[in-house]
Amino acid sequence: MESKESTNKILQVMYYLIYITMIVVTIVFYYLFHKNDASEFPDLQSQFSLILQYIVIGFTLLGVPGGLYLHKYYCGKLKKITDEKEKLRRYFKVCGARMILVSLGLFSGVYAFFALGAYKPMIYCAAISAIALVFCKPTMAKLEIDLDPNSL
């Protein structure tokens, strides 16, 4: 990461790749699971279904606030670093980790929605993660605020 602009540009590419990947995965899952009739989907009270639901809810409940809080926490530590290249390198890692952590609920929610035969609460978990991912969108203004030692 040579400059703030290049770091921001790479983070934006990563951000949009997550959404593009999610769209492609949704289309693939739709065609994989749509041709199955209702008898081929697992019972919602089966052990597999319950474990999958708990995993999705766990990713959503832990990933979204955890990713957002950890980003805030580590950006506070980054403000104390004086070397600009090291600061940008660490900021890139922190932002990437936040986006991946938040998107875990998105990907698992979409998978569970299709694997459980369009079970609506799973798509709600995916929607919560998708909305949280909007708050992770990298911009130059956020980068400046996150790395400025004089800001709160």
PDB file of all heavy atoms in Angstrom, residues 63-98:
ATOM      1  N   GLY A  63     -20.780 -11.928  14.084  1.00  0.00           N
ATOM      2  CA  GLY A  63     -19.990 -11.329  13.016  1.00  0.00           C
ATOM      3  C   GLY A  63     -20.249  -9.852  12.809  1.00  0.00           C
ATOM      4  O   GLY A  63     -19.315  -9.067  12.633  1.00  0.00           O
ATOM      5  N   VAL A  64     -21.508  -9.466  12.850  1.00  0.00           N
ATOM      6  CA  VAL A  64     -21.843  -8.066  12.561  1.00  0.00           C
ATOM      7  C   VAL A  64     -21.339  -7.126  13.663  1.00  0.00           C
ATOM      8  O   VAL A  64     -20.489  -6.272  13.407  1.00  0.00           O
ATOM      9  CB  VAL A  64     -23.355  -7.895  12.298  1.00  0.00           C
ATOM     10  CG1 VAL A  64     -23.732  -6.427  12.215  1.00  0.00           C
ATOM     11  CG2 VAL A  64     -23.737  -8.616  11.010  1.00  0.00           C
ATOM     12  N   PRO A  65     -21.793  -7.267  14.910  1.00  0.00           N
ATOM     13  CA  PRO A  65     -21.274  -6.337  15.918  1.00  0.00           C
ATOM     14  C   PRO A  65     -19.793  -6.554  16.211  1.00  0.00           C
ATOM     15  O   PRO A  65     -19.060  -5.606  16.476  1.00  0.00           O
ATOM     16  CB  PRO A  65     -22.119  -6.607  17.164  1.00  0.00           C
ATOM     17  CG  PRO A  65     -22.918  -7.806  16.897  1.00  0.00           C
ATOM     18  CD  PRO A  65     -22.814  -8.147  15.459  1.00  0.00           C
ATOM     19  N   GLY A  66     -19.355  -7.824  16.131  1.00  0.00           N
ATOM     20  CA  GLY A  66     -17.943  -8.107  16.379  1.00  0.00           C
ATOM     21  C   GLY A  66     -17.042  -7.459  15.353  1.00  0.00           C
ATOM     22  O   GLY A  66     -16.020  -6.856  15.689  1.00  0.00           O
ATOM     23  N   GLY A  67     -17.405  -7.581  14.080  1.00  0.00           N
ATOM     24  CA  GLY A  67     -16.604  -6.976  13.021  1.00  0.00           C
ATOM     25  C   GLY A  67     -16.560  -5.460  13.111  1.00  0.00           C
ATOM     26  O   GLY A  67     -15.502  -4.847  12.958  1.00  0.00           O
ATOM     27  N   LEU A  68     -17.705  -4.862  13.402  1.00  0.00           N
ATOM     28  CA  LEU A  68     -17.750  -3.407  13.499  1.00  0.00           C
ATOM     29  C   LEU A  68     -16.988  -2.900  14.726  1.00  0.00           C
ATOM     30  O   LEU A  68     -16.265  -1.906  14.648  1.00  0.00           O
ATOM     31  CB  LEU A  68     -19.203  -2.929  13.521  1.00  0.00           C
ATOM     32  CG  LEU A  68     -20.006  -3.237  12.245  1.00  0.00           C
ATOM     33  CD1 LEU A  68     -21.457  -2.816  12.429  1.00  0.00           C
ATOM     34  CD2 LEU A  68     -19.405  -2.593  11.029  1.00  0.00           C
ATOM     35  N   TYR A  69     -17.129  -3.602  15.853  1.00  0.00           N
ATOM     36  CA  TYR A  69     -16.430  -3.160  17.062  1.00  0.00           C
ATOM     37  C   TYR A  69     -14.919  -3.361  16.931  1.00  0.00           C
ATOM     38  O   TYR A  69     -14.143  -2.489  17.318  1.00  0.00           O
ATOM     39  CB  TYR A  69     -16.942  -3.895  18.300  1.00  0.00           C
ATOM     40  CG  TYR A  69     -16.118  -3.546  19.520  1.00  0.00           C
ATOM     41  CD1 TYR A  69     -16.276  -2.316  20.144  1.00  0.00           C
ATOM     42  CD2 TYR A  69     -15.146  -4.410  19.994  1.00  0.00           C
ATOM     43  CE1 TYR A  69     -15.505  -1.966  21.242  1.00  0.00           C
ATOM     44  CE2 TYR A  69     -14.364  -4.074  21.093  1.00  0.00           C
ATOM     45  CZ  TYR A  69     -14.552  -2.853  21.711  1.00  0.00           C
ATOM     46  OH  TYR A  69     -13.769  -2.505  22.777  1.00  0.00           O
ATOM     47  N   LEU A  70     -14.503  -4.517  16.427  1.00  0.00           N
ATOM     48  CA  LEU A  70     -13.070  -4.776  16.298  1.00  0.00           C
ATOM     49  C   LEU A  70     -12.401  -3.762  15.366  1.00  0.00           C
ATOM     50  O   LEU A  70     -11.268  -3.350  15.599  1.00  0.00           O
ATOM     51  CB  LEU A  70     -12.822  -6.200  15.821  1.00  0.00           C
ATOM     52  CG  LEU A  70     -13.104  -7.279  16.863  1.00  0.00           C
ATOM     53  CD1 LEU A  70     -12.956  -8.658  16.245  1.00  0.00           C
ATOM     54  CD2 LEU A  70     -12.195  -7.134  18.065  1.00  0.00           C
ATOM     55  N   HIS A  71     -13.120  -3.353  14.324  1.00  0.00           N
ATOM     56  CA  HIS A  71     -12.578  -2.336  13.426  1.00  0.00           C
ATOM     57  C   HIS A  71     -12.354  -1.027  14.185  1.00  0.00           C
ATOM     58  O   HIS A  71     -11.309  -0.399  14.063  1.00  0.00           O
ATOM     59  CB  HIS A  71     -13.517  -2.116  12.243  1.00  0.00           C
ATOM     60  CG  HIS A  71     -13.039  -1.073  11.310  1.00  0.00           C
ATOM     61  ND1 HIS A  71     -13.478   0.229  11.391  1.00  0.00           N
ATOM     62  CD2 HIS A  71     -12.151  -1.115  10.291  1.00  0.00           C
ATOM     63  CE1 HIS A  71     -12.878   0.943  10.449  1.00  0.00           C
ATOM     64  NE2 HIS A  71     -12.070   0.146   9.773  1.00  0.00           N
ATOM     65  N   LYS A  72     -13.341  -0.637  14.963  1.00  0.00           N
ATOM     66  CA  LYS A  72     -13.215   0.599  15.747  1.00  0.00           C
ATOM     67  C   LYS A  72     -12.065   0.493  16.747  1.00  0.00           C
ATOM     68  O   LYS A  72     -11.268   1.424  16.908  1.00  0.00           O
ATOM     69  CB  LYS A  72     -14.526   0.877  16.476  1.00  0.00           C
ATOM     70  CG  LYS A  72     -14.502   2.123  17.326  1.00  0.00           C
ATOM     71  CD  LYS A  72     -15.826   2.294  18.047  1.00  0.00           C
ATOM     72  CE  LYS A  72     -15.803   3.530  18.877  1.00  0.00           C
ATOM     73  NZ  LYS A  72     -15.652   3.329  20.285  1.00  0.00           N
ATOM     74  N   TYR A  73     -11.954  -0.652  17.395  1.00  0.00           N
ATOM     75  CA  TYR A  73     -10.916  -0.861  18.400  1.00  0.00           C
ATOM     76  C   TYR A  73      -9.526  -0.784  17.776  1.00  0.00           C
ATOM     77  O   TYR A  73      -8.638  -0.088  18.283  1.00  0.00           O
ATOM     78  CB  TYR A  73     -11.138  -2.216  19.076  1.00  0.00           C
ATOM     79  CG  TYR A  73     -10.059  -2.596  20.061  1.00  0.00           C
ATOM     80  CD1 TYR A  73     -10.009  -2.016  21.313  1.00  0.00           C
ATOM     81  CD2 TYR A  73      -9.083  -3.534  19.721  1.00  0.00           C
ATOM     82  CE1 TYR A  73      -9.016  -2.357  22.232  1.00  0.00           C
ATOM     83  CE2 TYR A  73      -8.089  -3.887  20.616  1.00  0.00           C
ATOM     84  CZ  TYR A  73      -8.062  -3.294  21.862  1.00  0.00           C
ATOM     85  OH  TYR A  73      -7.076  -3.641  22.740  1.00  0.00           O
ATOM     86  N   TYR A  74      -9.328  -1.499  16.665  1.00  0.00           N
ATOM     87  CA  TYR A  74      -8.000  -1.509  16.052  1.00  0.00           C
ATOM     88  C   TYR A  74      -7.660  -0.191  15.350  1.00  0.00           C
ATOM     89  O   TYR A  74      -6.493   0.169  15.259  1.00  0.00           O
ATOM     90  CB  TYR A  74      -7.858  -2.688  15.085  1.00  0.00           C
ATOM     91  CG  TYR A  74      -7.623  -3.987  15.823  1.00  0.00           C
ATOM     92  CD1 TYR A  74      -8.575  -4.983  15.828  1.00  0.00           C
ATOM     93  CD2 TYR A  74      -6.457  -4.186  16.556  1.00  0.00           C
ATOM     94  CE1 TYR A  74      -8.370  -6.161  16.519  1.00  0.00           C
ATOM     95  CE2 TYR A  74      -6.245  -5.353  17.250  1.00  0.00           C
ATOM     96  CZ  TYR A  74      -7.196  -6.344  17.226  1.00  0.00           C
ATOM     97  OH  TYR A  74      -6.994  -7.497  17.923  1.00  0.00           O
ATOM     98  N   CYS A  75      -8.664   0.522  14.870  1.00  0.00           N
ATOM     99  CA  CYS A  75      -8.378   1.840  14.290  1.00  0.00           C
ATOM    100  C   CYS A  75      -7.899   2.801  15.368  1.00  0.00           C
ATOM    101  O   CYS A  75      -7.077   3.678  15.098  1.00  0.00           O
ATOM    102  CB  CYS A  75      -9.605   2.389  13.578  1.00  0.00           C
ATOM    103  SG  CYS A  75      -9.842   1.665  11.953  1.00  0.00           S
ATOM    104  N   GLY A  76      -8.391   2.638  16.586  1.00  0.00           N
ATOM    105  CA  GLY A  76      -7.887   3.450  17.693  1.00  0.00           C
ATOM    106  C   GLY A  76      -6.419   3.184  17.953  1.00  0.00           C
ATOM    107  O   GLY A  76      -5.645   4.094  18.246  1.00  0.00           O
ATOM    108  N   LYS A  77      -6.005   1.938  17.820  1.00  0.00           N
ATOM    109  CA  LYS A  77      -4.589   1.595  17.995  1.00  0.00           C
ATOM    110  C   LYS A  77      -3.754   2.087  16.813  1.00  0.00           C
ATOM    111  O   LYS A  77      -2.593   2.448  16.979  1.00  0.00           O
ATOM    112  CB  LYS A  77      -4.428   0.076  18.129  1.00  0.00           C
ATOM    113  CG  LYS A  77      -4.883  -0.469  19.444  1.00  0.00           C
ATOM    114  CD  LYS A  77      -4.540  -1.942  19.524  1.00  0.00           C
ATOM    115  CE  LYS A  77      -4.621  -2.405  20.961  1.00  0.00           C
ATOM    116  NZ  LYS A  77      -4.065  -3.744  21.141  1.00  0.00           N
ATOM    117  N   LEU A  78      -4.343   2.070  15.611  1.00  0.00           N
ATOM    118  CA  LEU A  78      -3.607   2.494  14.418  1.00  0.00           C
ATOM    119  C   LEU A  78      -3.273   3.980  14.447  1.00  0.00           C
ATOM    120  O   LEU A  78      -2.285   4.404  13.849  1.00  0.00           O
ATOM    121  CB  LEU A  78      -4.405   2.183  13.153  1.00  0.00           C
ATOM    122  CG  LEU A  78      -4.523   0.721  12.755  1.00  0.00           C
ATOM    123  CD1 LEU A  78      -5.413   0.589  11.530  1.00  0.00           C
ATOM    124  CD2 LEU A  78      -3.166   0.119  12.487  1.00  0.00           C
ATOM    125  N   LYS A  79      -4.083   4.766  15.131  1.00  0.00           N
ATOM    126  CA  LYS A  79      -3.854   6.210  15.177  1.00  0.00           C
ATOM    127  C   LYS A  79      -2.539   6.556  15.864  1.00  0.00           C
ATOM    128  O   LYS A  79      -1.974   7.606  15.639  1.00  0.00           O
ATOM    129  CB  LYS A  79      -5.017   6.902  15.889  1.00  0.00           C
ATOM    130  CG  LYS A  79      -6.296   6.854  15.095  1.00  0.00           C
ATOM    131  CD  LYS A  79      -7.431   7.497  15.834  1.00  0.00           C
ATOM    132  CE  LYS A  79      -8.699   7.357  15.003  1.00  0.00           C
ATOM    133  NZ  LYS A  79      -9.804   8.091  15.561  1.00  0.00           N
ATOM    134  N   LYS A  80      -2.031   5.638  16.680  1.00  0.00           N
ATOM    135  CA  LYS A  80      -0.791   5.891  17.421  1.00  0.00           C
ATOM    136  C   LYS A  80       0.460   5.569  16.611  1.00  0.00           C
ATOM    137  O   LYS A  80       1.553   5.943  17.004  1.00  0.00           O
ATOM    138  CB  LYS A  80      -0.808   5.067  18.708  1.00  0.00           C
ATOM    139  CG  LYS A  80      -1.938   5.449  19.633  1.00  0.00           C
ATOM    140  CD  LYS A  80      -2.040   4.520  20.807  1.00  0.00           C
ATOM    141  CE  LYS A  80      -3.249   4.895  21.645  1.00  0.00           C
ATOM    142  NZ  LYS A  80      -3.589   3.882  22.614  1.00  0.00           N
ATOM    143  N   ILE A  81       0.293   4.878  15.485  1.00  0.00           N
ATOM    144  CA  ILE A  81       1.447   4.512  14.653  1.00  0.00           C
ATOM    145  C   ILE A  81       1.878   5.727  13.844  1.00  0.00           C
ATOM    146  O   ILE A  81       1.051   6.418  13.243  1.00  0.00           O
ATOM    147  CB  ILE A  81       1.103   3.324  13.725  1.00  0.00           C
ATOM    148  CG1 ILE A  81       0.752   2.098  14.562  1.00  0.00           C
ATOM    149  CG2 ILE A  81       2.249   3.023  12.772  1.00  0.00           C
ATOM    150  CD1 ILE A  81       0.276   0.921  13.762  1.00  0.00           C
ATOM    151  N   THR A  82       3.179   5.981  13.792  1.00  0.00           N
ATOM    152  CA  THR A  82       3.679   7.159  13.076  1.00  0.00           C
ATOM    153  C   THR A  82       4.103   6.843  11.646  1.00  0.00           C
ATOM    154  O   THR A  82       4.017   7.712  10.783  1.00  0.00           O
ATOM    155  CB  THR A  82       4.871   7.775  13.827  1.00  0.00           C
ATOM    156  OG1 THR A  82       5.875   6.780  14.013  1.00  0.00           O
ATOM    157  CG2 THR A  82       4.428   8.309  15.185  1.00  0.00           C
ATOM    158  N   ASP A  83       4.563   5.627  11.374  1.00  0.00           N
ATOM    159  CA  ASP A  83       4.980   5.246  10.032  1.00  0.00           C
ATOM    160  C   ASP A  83       3.742   5.087   9.145  1.00  0.00           C
ATOM    161  O   ASP A  83       2.896   4.229   9.385  1.00  0.00           O
ATOM    162  CB  ASP A  83       5.785   3.938  10.083  1.00  0.00           C
ATOM    163  CG  ASP A  83       6.281   3.512   8.712  1.00  0.00           C
ATOM    164  OD1 ASP A  83       6.443   4.383   7.842  1.00  0.00           O
ATOM    165  OD2 ASP A  83       6.506   2.292   8.523  1.00  0.00           O
ATOM    166  N   GLU A  84       3.647   5.919   8.111  1.00  0.00           N
ATOM    167  CA  GLU A  84       2.453   5.959   7.264  1.00  0.00           C
ATOM    168  C   GLU A  84       2.236   4.653   6.488  1.00  0.00           C
ATOM    169  O   GLU A  84       1.103   4.173   6.369  1.00  0.00           O
ATOM    170  CB  GLU A  84       2.560   7.133   6.280  1.00  0.00           C
ATOM    171  CG  GLU A  84       1.278   7.467   5.576  1.00  0.00           C
ATOM    172  CD  GLU A  84       0.221   8.027   6.507  1.00  0.00           C
ATOM    173  OE1 GLU A  84       0.560   8.614   7.538  1.00  0.00           O
ATOM    174  OE2 GLU A  84      -0.967   7.876   6.179  1.00  0.00           O
ATOM    175  N   LYS A  85       3.298   4.055   5.963  1.00  0.00           N
ATOM    176  CA  LYS A  85       3.156   2.799   5.203  1.00  0.00           C
ATOM    177  C   LYS A  85       2.679   1.662   6.103  1.00  0.00           C
ATOM    178  O   LYS A  85       1.816   0.874   5.708  1.00  0.00           O
ATOM    179  CB  LYS A  85       4.478   2.419   4.531  1.00  0.00           C
ATOM    180  CG  LYS A  85       4.785   3.234   3.315  1.00  0.00           C
ATOM    181  CD  LYS A  85       6.008   2.697   2.613  1.00  0.00           C
ATOM    182  CE  LYS A  85       6.286   3.519   1.370  1.00  0.00           C
ATOM    183  NZ  LYS A  85       7.403   2.979   0.600  1.00  0.00           N
ATOM    184  N   GLU A  86       3.241   1.583   7.290  1.00  0.00           N
ATOM    185  CA  GLU A  86       2.829   0.541   8.233  1.00  0.00           C
ATOM    186  C   GLU A  86       1.381   0.749   8.661  1.00  0.00           C
ATOM    187  O   GLU A  86       0.608  -0.197   8.793  1.00  0.00           O
ATOM    188  CB  GLU A  86       3.756   0.540   9.456  1.00  0.00           C
ATOM    189  CG  GLU A  86       3.421  -0.497  10.494  1.00  0.00           C
ATOM    190  CD  GLU A  86       3.602  -1.923  10.012  1.00  0.00           C
ATOM    191  OE1 GLU A  86       4.309  -2.160   9.011  1.00  0.00           O
ATOM    192  OE2 GLU A  86       3.018  -2.829  10.647  1.00  0.00           O
ATOM    193  N   LYS A  87       1.005   1.994   8.857  1.00  0.00           N
ATOM    194  CA  LYS A  87      -0.365   2.316   9.245  1.00  0.00           C
ATOM    195  C   LYS A  87      -1.350   1.898   8.152  1.00  0.00           C
ATOM    196  O   LYS A  87      -2.382   1.283   8.435  1.00  0.00           O
ATOM    197  CB  LYS A  87      -0.487   3.822   9.503  1.00  0.00           C
ATOM    198  CG  LYS A  87      -1.809   4.246  10.077  1.00  0.00           C
ATOM    199  CD  LYS A  87      -1.931   5.752  10.191  1.00  0.00           C
ATOM    200  CE  LYS A  87      -1.158   6.292  11.357  1.00  0.00           C
ATOM    201  NZ  LYS A  87      -1.469   7.710  11.634  1.00  0.00           N
ATOM    202  N   LEU A  88      -1.023   2.183   6.885  1.00  0.00           N
ATOM    203  CA  LEU A  88      -1.901   1.812   5.769  1.00  0.00           C
ATOM    204  C   LEU A  88      -1.959   0.297   5.589  1.00  0.00           C
ATOM    205  O   LEU A  88      -3.016  -0.260   5.284  1.00  0.00           O
ATOM    206  CB  LEU A  88      -1.431   2.479   4.480  1.00  0.00           C
ATOM    207  CG  LEU A  88      -1.682   3.982   4.389  1.00  0.00           C
ATOM    208  CD1 LEU A  88      -1.038   4.546   3.137  1.00  0.00           C
ATOM    209  CD2 LEU A  88      -3.160   4.281   4.412  1.00  0.00           C
ATOM    210  N   ARG A  89      -0.826  -0.370   5.788  1.00  0.00           N
ATOM    211  CA  ARG A  89      -0.805  -1.830   5.639  1.00  0.00           C
ATOM    212  C   ARG A  89      -1.703  -2.478   6.687  1.00  0.00           C
ATOM    213  O   ARG A  89      -2.499  -3.358   6.378  1.00  0.00           O
ATOM    214  CB  ARG A  89       0.629  -2.343   5.784  1.00  0.00           C
ATOM    215  CG  ARG A  89       0.792  -3.830   5.497  1.00  0.00           C
ATOM    216  CD  ARG A  89       2.221  -4.291   5.693  1.00  0.00           C
ATOM    217  NE  ARG A  89       2.661  -4.213   7.078  1.00  0.00           N
ATOM    218  CZ  ARG A  89       2.307  -5.088   8.029  1.00  0.00           C
ATOM    219  NH1 ARG A  89       1.509  -6.067   7.748  1.00  0.00           N
ATOM    220  NH2 ARG A  89       2.770  -4.958   9.259  1.00  0.00           N
ATOM    221  N   ARG A  90      -1.614  -2.025   7.913  1.00  0.00           N
ATOM    222  CA  ARG A  90      -2.454  -2.572   8.978  1.00  0.00           C
ATOM    223  C   ARG A  90      -3.919  -2.185   8.795  1.00  0.00           C
ATOM    224  O   ARG A  90      -4.821  -2.967   9.085  1.00  0.00           O
ATOM    225  CB  ARG A  90      -1.953  -2.114  10.341  1.00  0.00           C
ATOM    226  CG  ARG A  90      -0.662  -2.775  10.737  1.00  0.00           C
ATOM    227  CD  ARG A  90      -0.313  -2.432  12.155  1.00  0.00           C
ATOM    228  NE  ARG A  90       0.976  -2.995  12.523  1.00  0.00           N
ATOM    229  CZ  ARG A  90       1.495  -2.900  13.734  1.00  0.00           C
ATOM    230  NH1 ARG A  90       0.833  -2.262  14.685  1.00  0.00           N
ATOM    231  NH2 ARG A  90       2.659  -3.423  14.004  1.00  0.00           N
ATOM    232  N   TYR A  91      -4.167  -0.976   8.324  1.00  0.00           N
ATOM    233  CA  TYR A  91      -5.543  -0.539   8.078  1.00  0.00           C
ATOM    234  C   TYR A  91      -6.195  -1.411   7.011  1.00  0.00           C
ATOM    235  O   TYR A  91      -7.356  -1.785   7.136  1.00  0.00           O
ATOM    236  CB  TYR A  91      -5.562   0.932   7.644  1.00  0.00           C
ATOM    237  CG  TYR A  91      -6.948   1.472   7.416  1.00  0.00           C
ATOM    238  CD1 TYR A  91      -7.759   1.798   8.496  1.00  0.00           C
ATOM    239  CD2 TYR A  91      -7.445   1.652   6.138  1.00  0.00           C
ATOM    240  CE1 TYR A  91      -9.039   2.290   8.301  1.00  0.00           C
ATOM    241  CE2 TYR A  91      -8.721   2.144   5.931  1.00  0.00           C
ATOM    242  CZ  TYR A  91      -9.514   2.463   7.019  1.00  0.00           C
ATOM    243  OH  TYR A  91     -10.782   2.942   6.827  1.00  0.00           O
ATOM    244  N   PHE A  92      -5.439  -1.758   5.983  1.00  0.00           N
ATOM    245  CA  PHE A  92      -5.948  -2.625   4.934  1.00  0.00           C
ATOM    246  C   PHE A  92      -6.358  -3.983   5.518  1.00  0.00           C
ATOM    247  O   PHE A  92      -7.425  -4.514   5.211  1.00  0.00           O
ATOM    248  CB  PHE A  92      -4.888  -2.818   3.839  1.00  0.00           C
ATOM    249  CG  PHE A  92      -5.299  -3.772   2.769  1.00  0.00           C
ATOM    250  CD1 PHE A  92      -6.181  -3.391   1.786  1.00  0.00           C
ATOM    251  CD2 PHE A  92      -4.792  -5.062   2.747  1.00  0.00           C
ATOM    252  CE1 PHE A  92      -6.569  -4.277   0.792  1.00  0.00           C
ATOM    253  CE2 PHE A  92      -5.167  -5.951   1.767  1.00  0.00           C
ATOM    254  CZ  PHE A  92      -6.057  -5.558   0.791  1.00  0.00           C
ATOM    255  N   LYS A  93      -5.523  -4.540   6.373  1.00  0.00           N
ATOM    256  CA  LYS A  93      -5.836  -5.833   6.993  1.00  0.00           C
ATOM    257  C   LYS A  93      -7.075  -5.743   7.883  1.00  0.00           C
ATOM    258  O   LYS A  93      -7.930  -6.628   7.871  1.00  0.00           O
ATOM    259  CB  LYS A  93      -4.647  -6.336   7.812  1.00  0.00           C
ATOM    260  CG  LYS A  93      -3.499  -6.837   6.974  1.00  0.00           C
ATOM    261  CD  LYS A  93      -2.383  -7.350   7.864  1.00  0.00           C
ATOM    262  CE  LYS A  93      -1.229  -7.864   7.039  1.00  0.00           C
ATOM    263  NZ  LYS A  93      -0.133  -8.374   7.892  1.00  0.00           N
ATOM    264  N   VAL A  94      -7.173  -4.670   8.652  1.00  0.00           N
ATOM    265  CA  VAL A  94      -8.302  -4.505   9.564  1.00  0.00           C
ATOM    266  C   VAL A  94      -9.602  -4.344   8.780  1.00  0.00           C
ATOM    267  O   VAL A  94     -10.617  -4.966   9.113  1.00  0.00           O
ATOM    268  CB  VAL A  94      -8.062  -3.294  10.501  1.00  0.00           C
ATOM    269  CG1 VAL A  94      -9.319  -2.900  11.241  1.00  0.00           C
ATOM    270  CG2 VAL A  94      -6.948  -3.602  11.477  1.00  0.00           C
ATOM    271  N   CYS A  95      -9.584  -3.545   7.732  1.00  0.00           N
ATOM    272  CA  CYS A  95     -10.801  -3.343   6.928  1.00  0.00           C
ATOM    273  C   CYS A  95     -11.194  -4.619   6.187  1.00  0.00           C
ATOM    274  O   CYS A  95     -12.372  -4.952   6.086  1.00  0.00           O
ATOM    275  CB  CYS A  95     -10.599  -2.203   5.935  1.00  0.00           C
ATOM    276  SG  CYS A  95     -10.684  -0.596   6.696  1.00  0.00           S
ATOM    277  N   GLY A  96     -10.208  -5.317   5.670  1.00  0.00           N
ATOM    278  CA  GLY A  96     -10.494  -6.584   4.989  1.00  0.00           C
ATOM    279  C   GLY A  96     -11.087  -7.609   5.931  1.00  0.00           C
ATOM    280  O   GLY A  96     -12.049  -8.304   5.601  1.00  0.00           O
ATOM    281  N   ALA A  97     -10.529  -7.697   7.134  1.00  0.00           N
ATOM    282  CA  ALA A  97     -11.053  -8.638   8.126  1.00  0.00           C
ATOM    283  C   ALA A  97     -12.485  -8.267   8.524  1.00  0.00           C
ATOM    284  O   ALA A  97     -13.338  -9.147   8.701  1.00  0.00           O
ATOM    285  CB  ALA A  97     -10.147  -8.656   9.351  1.00  0.00           C
ATOM    286  N   ARG A  98     -12.747  -6.976   8.656  1.00  0.00           N
ATOM    287  CA  ARG A  98     -14.104  -6.538   9.006  1.00  0.00           C
ATOM    288  C   ARG A  98     -15.102  -6.932   7.925  1.00  0.00           C
ATOM    289  O   ARG A  98     -16.171  -7.478   8.222  1.00  0.00           O
ATOM    290  CB  ARG A  98     -14.134  -5.024   9.214  1.00  0.00           C
ATOM    291  CG  ARG A  98     -15.544  -4.487   9.439  1.00  0.00           C
ATOM    292  CD  ARG A  98     -15.582  -2.996   9.523  1.00  0.00           C
ATOM    293  NE  ARG A  98     -15.091  -2.370   8.307  1.00  0.00           N
ATOM    294  CZ  ARG A  98     -15.189  -1.082   8.045  1.00  0.00           C
ATOM    295  NH1 ARG A  98     -15.719  -0.270   8.919  1.00  0.00           N
ATOM    296  NH2 ARG A  98     -14.719  -0.589   6.927  1.00  0.00           N
TER     297      ARG A  98
END
